[in-house]
Amino acid sequence: MEEEKGYGGVEDHGSPSYSNEAKGNAPMRKGSIGFGEAADMYGDTETAEHYGYVSRGLKSRHIQFIALGGTIGTGLFLGIGTAFAHAGPLSVLLGYTLTGCAIYAMMQCLGEMATWLPLPGAVPQYCARYVDPAMGFAVGWNNWYSSALTLCAEISAASLVIGFWNSSINQAAWITIILVVILGLNIFAVSIYGEAEFIFASVKIITIVGLIILALVIDLGGAPHEKRIGFRYWHHPYAAMVAYVGTGNTGRFAGIFSTLVNAAFSYGGVEMVAVAAGEAENPRKNIPKAVQRVFWRILFFYVLGSLLIGMTVPYNDPGLTADGAGARSSPWVIAITRAGIPVLPSVINAVILTSASSSGNAFLYTGSRYLFALAQNGQAPRVLLKCTKKGVPIWCVLITASFGLLTYMTVSEGANNVFNWFQTLTTITSLFTWVSILIAYLRFKKAMEAQGVNRDDLIFKSKWQPYTAWVALIYFIIIIIFNGWKVFTKGNWAIQVSTCQEDMSMNTVFERMHILIALQDFVTAYIVVPVYFAFYIFWKVFKRTKFVKASEADIWTGKAALDAEVWPERLPRNWLEKVWFWIA
């Protein structure tokens, strides 16, 4: 069977002539940048006219704020509480710092590829072009259902948060409202999505900055009901590192390792900047700037945030593991409540609701663009290439949004349980995405060398390569392999066999229930692994794909149209504009 080439395949079709008349969300037409990119990608003007193309409607401030706060969701506000309860403050700080370093290394790699060739969806196309079309197929579908499941996780979290104020109304009503709002923000124009994320991210950034300052004030004794805390909760009778599952040093190491999966969930979606590169104005300038912002996001929000939470809340506070509604289990709210500060918990709850909705909005966008990228690769139905006059891949958005209907399971299963289930699934799919990005980068670097491209001439060049890529790759693979380690510890798989039904004691019943829970945890932790490789093997066998040689990797198709575009340089007129231009 002959290998099928996608629209971003090996051949360089060249670029039809076009000018730079149209930008933003103007309908795509001949002579527009969108038309030029579409014709360059699809190889002919007829296909470009028939299907349309996404538009570059995301402005610099949209991209920068998406990088800073676009996918900050419930992980930082809610999920981090469980990590503190299981591992202690120092373990959480180390876990978030180590994972943050690996994330930054991965983003440097992705930033270099996205600046060279900013494509819609990006990751599946890079994997298909530089590694193997089968890998592009696997990571594309993996990314798509990861985004769809994260959409469910965030909507589930939002419905959980609303229960803080009113638990009498059926959660299905809130799920419906949130779904409709998120769909509305994505279906009309990418600029509407960009504006929404700009506002959402602004609220989240201001809130986190405020929480960090407030936590510092509480720790230094500025709260009504608290004296100076310092590092009190890091010493006896509390602990900086808590033994988890095991005892002694082994248990403390297990505690640190348990925080890595939690941290990965909190960082999930950080690669969205590259996904949006295909719809960003002046990507050669805005994408490198956004990638560099990721470092400050990691350092300030996650590392400093986890440090201050650990200084203001003891690991054994029962609220951290409470199965309650809303923000009651958020360590930020617990710190404020312990300090005797009224009203603020409701305010924080509203912000967490905004964050969950914002993150759901972001993952509907990324999921739809991954599906669009698969269609461009020829690995999804061609009908998914269809874009509206405003440049929205309409069928990709609708199909991805339909997965949000799974969130209605929270009505019968309990929002917390479903949220935890989705959290684990989406964490592992995110790890596979990051592993695929790093492998694609290593092959991209080889392709650049083989085809005579000097990396020193690149607009954005990632640092310390290929060493940082290899270290991050190994780190993420280790987490994937051992993320379900808890189910293999002593006692989790012990089965007591009874000879007859009448001999079953209550202990036997509880042991069998324990086995069922352990089996569910095992499946949740590792089901993504066979699914990913099943996708890969299916396309490998079905299309008889081959690994892409470095000298034959397509690092050019789609680049000519972008190279021909000239973006006007905006110069600040005063010091206020200088500050704003630096921020956004």
Side-chain angles (χ1 to χ4, degrees):
M1 184 181 296
E2 184 180 349
E3 180 182 339
E4 180 181 280
K5 294 178 183 176
Y7 296 109
V10 174
E11 295 180 18
D12 186 358
H13 301 289
S15 300
S17 60
Y18 56 90
S19 66
N20 50 4
E21 295 174 16
K23 291 188 177 73
N25 288 309
M28 193 189 75
R29 62 185 184 277
K30 288 186 176 180
S32 73
I33 179 65
F35 184 83
E37 288 189 64
D40 198 11
M41 287 294 297
Y42 299 152
D44 61 82
T45 57
E46 289 77 12
T47 304
E49 286 185 77
H50 178 70
Y51 289 110
Y53 202 63
V54 294
S55 66
R56 293 197 174 274
L58 294 176
K59 299 177 180 178
S60 176
R61 60 187 171 89
H62 299 154
I63 295 296
Q64 303 313 318
F65 274 69
I66 286 171
L68 283 171
T71 54
I72 293 177
T74 51
L76 185 59
F77 289 110
L78 288 176
I80 197 171
T82 304
F84 272 101
H86 289 164
L90 180 56
S91 297
V92 172
L93 178 62
L94 291 173
Y96 272 73
T97 302
L98 289 172
T99 304
C101 291
I103 290 291
Y104 181 67
M106 181 274 297
M107 285 301 297
Q108 287 281 306
C109 298
L110 184 57
E112 184 175 320
M113 292 190 292
T115 304
W116 172 264
L117 194 59
L119 299 172
V123 181
Q125 302 209 50
Y126 297 152
C127 291
R129 289 179 179 220
Y130 310 146
V131 186
D132 185 342
M135 186 177 186
F137 180 83
V139 75
W141 285 105
N142 179 76
N143 285 353
W144 175 72
Y145 79 75
S146 171
S147 298
L149 288 177
T150 308
L151 169 65
C152 296
E154 297 298 346
I155 295 174
S156 170
S159 65
L160 176 68
V161 165
I162 293 174
F164 181 87
W165 295 295
N166 190 327
S167 58
S168 61
I169 298 177
N170 194 300
Q171 289 175 348
W174 304 123
I175 292 170
T176 303
I177 292 171
I178 295 167
L179 261 175
V180 170
V181 170
I182 290 174
L183 181 61
L185 293 174
N186 277 269
I187 206 166
F188 295 110
V190 73
S191 61
I192 295 176
Y193 161 79
E195 291 296 341
E197 280 305 298
F198 174 75
I199 295 169
F200 285 147
S202 299
V203 171
K204 287 187 280 187
I205 292 168
I206 292 170
T207 302
I208 294 171
V209 171
L211 286 173
I212 287 174
I213 295 172
L214 179 60
L216 188 60
V217 169
I218 292 172
D219 186 72
L220 295 176
H225 297 171
E226 284 282 4
K227 296 179 180 179
R228 185 179 182 277
I229 301 173
F231 284 89
R232 182 193 311 168
Y233 299 137
W234 293 45
H235 302 290
H236 185 76
Y238 307 101
M241 301 178 74
V242 179
Y244 180 56
V245 179
T247 58
N249 290 334
T250 302
R252 283 187 282 273
F253 174 79
I256 292 177
F257 198 87
S258 70
T259 66
L260 302 184
V261 175
N262 186 281
F265 175 75
S266 295
Y267 287 120
V270 69
E271 71 281 358
M272 196 183 77
V273 173
V275 176
E279 294 172 85
E281 289 183 356
N282 199 359
R284 298 277 165 74
K285 179 180 179 181
N286 291 328
I287 298 304
K289 187 177 177 181
V291 169
Q292 298 293 3
R293 295 286 166 86
V294 171
F295 171 79
W296 300 107
R297 168 179 166 178
I298 292 169
L299 178 65
F300 192 77
F301 296 157
Y302 293 98
V303 177
L304 183 58
S306 62
L307 171 64
L308 289 170
I309 290 172
M311 293 168 65
T312 52
V313 179
Y315 80 91
N316 58 356
D317 189 296
L320 291 173
T321 53
D323 192 17
R328 293 188 184 97
S329 60
S330 168
W332 300 99
V333 172
I334 292 171
I336 294 168
T337 303
R338 289 174 66 94
I341 303 174
V343 181
L344 272 180
S346 288
V347 175
I348 301 305
N349 202 71
V351 173
I352 294 175
L353 175 60
T354 302
S355 297
S357 303
S358 165
S359 195
N361 180 45
F363 281 105
L364 175 55
Y365 170 81
T366 54
S368 64
R369 271 41 176 195
Y370 284 137
L371 205 53
F372 183 72
L374 283 165
Q376 283 193 310
N377 282 345
Q379 296 170 334
R382 289 178 63 134
V383 68
L384 297 178
L385 292 171
K386 185 65 178 176
C387 294
T388 65
K389 291 182 178 180
K390 293 291 186 180
V392 176
I394 183 68
W395 292 113
C396 296
V397 171
L398 291 174
I399 291 172
T400 306
S402 67
F403 255 61
L405 300 175
L406 290 175
T407 319
Y408 286 106
M409 288 193 299
T410 59
V411 176
S412 59
E413 293 292 332
N416 253 342
N417 293 334
V418 175
F419 175 69
N420 291 333
W421 183 67
F422 281 141
Q423 174 178 331
T424 306
L425 281 178
T426 54
T427 297
I428 307 307
T429 50
S430 294
L431 286 163
F432 266 102
T433 299
W434 300 336
V435 165
S436 302
I437 288 169
L438 291 163
I439 293 173
Y441 174 77
L442 291 169
R443 295 304 302 162
F444 170 75
K445 186 174 181 296
K446 287 286 187 184
M448 300 282 275
E449 294 170 358
Q451 298 183 36
V453 178
N454 187 353
R455 287 185 69 243
D456 292 331
D457 297 333
L458 298 181
I459 297 173
F460 179 75
K461 175 185 173 184
S462 55
K463 301 175 182 177
W464 307 307
Q465 298 297 352
Y467 309 108
T468 53
W470 278 111
V471 170
L473 178 62
I474 294 169
Y475 181 85
F476 291 137
I477 290 175
I478 289 173
I479 298 178
I480 290 173
I481 294 173
F482 296 106
N483 86 92
W485 62 272
K486 185 182 175 184
V487 299
F488 298 105
T489 54
K490 185 177 180 180
N492 277 314
W493 294 96
I495 303 177
Q496 180 175 334
V497 180
S498 297
T499 55
C500 63
Q501 188 70 22
E502 289 76 7
D503 292 336
M504 287 183 66
S505 65
M506 287 303 297
N507 287 337
T508 305
V509 173
F510 285 130
E511 285 173 3
R512 292 189 174 181
M513 290 174 63
H514 185 67
I515 290 298
L516 183 62
I517 294 171
L519 181 60
Q520 181 180 345
D521 290 343
F522 173 79
V523 171
T524 304
Y526 291 107
I527 187 62
V528 175
V529 178
V531 168
Y532 181 92
F533 285 105
F535 279 135
Y536 180 86
I537 293 170
F538 166 76
W539 199 256
K540 189 80 174 170
V541 173
F542 182 61
K543 291 295 181 179
R544 297 181 182 176
T545 64
K546 298 179 181 179
F547 292 106
V548 179
K549 295 179 181 179
S551 59
E552 298 175 358
D554 181 16
I555 60 175
W556 303 106
T557 301
K559 187 172 181 294
L562 191 63
D563 289 342
E565 178 68 6
V566 178
W567 301 92
E569 184 71 19
R570 294 183 62 194
L571 299 175
R573 294 168 294 182
N574 50 55
W575 70 271
L576 282 175
E577 285 196 350
K578 284 183 180 180
V579 173
W580 177 246
F581 283 12
W582 179 81
I583 294 172

